[in-house]
Amino acid sequence: MEEILSLAAQLAGWAGALGTAAAYGLVSRRLVEPDSATFQSLNLSGAVLLAVSAAASGSWPGVAANSVWVLISVQALVSARRVLRRRTRSGPDHLLAGELAEAQPVA
């Protein structure tokens, strides 16, 4: 049973490493934006998996670093969600009306 858990932790670590590397590669090639849900979700899942793997092997500095990474990713996703909610609540008609009002000359 211990061997299976060790293998699972190693696989989690590899998946996490691939996820964070993929996120970085996508942003570096400008295929996704750094503030996109795709980028932040890849970072979040990669950091969680790396933290699990680090914890299983007793690498506490790795756990700490990846826990910070998780917090940063969660904060970015929450922040992006708030912005999206504000945009959808105001709707495109509201934005257009605001732009038109600004374009009208003041008498």
Side-chain angles (χ1 to χ4, degrees):
M1 183 64 151
E2 191 173 315
E3 289 179 22
I4 293 173
L5 291 176
S6 177
L7 178 61
Q10 287 181 24
L11 290 174
W14 281 109
L18 288 172
T20 54
Y24 181 72
L26 290 169
V27 165
S28 295
R29 294 179 158 264
R30 293 188 168 92
L31 297 173
V32 298
E33 295 296 320
D35 58 352
S36 71
T38 300
F39 177 72
Q40 295 301 334
S41 296
L42 278 171
N43 266 329
L44 174 61
S45 59
V48 166
L49 292 170
L50 284 167
V52 166
S53 179
S57 65
S59 177
W60 302 114
V63 172
N66 282 292
S67 295
V68 170
W69 205 258
V70 165
L71 292 174
I72 292 169
S73 295
V74 166
Q75 186 275 330
L77 283 168
V78 168
S79 182
R81 187 172 180 176
R82 283 187 197 135
V83 169
L84 183 60
R85 263 197 224 145
R86 269 188 253 135
R87 285 184 188 163
T88 54
R89 265 189 286 186
S90 61
D93 293 337
H94 174 73
L95 293 175
L96 183 58
E99 292 170 3
L100 290 175
E102 291 174 6
Q104 305 264 335
V106 178

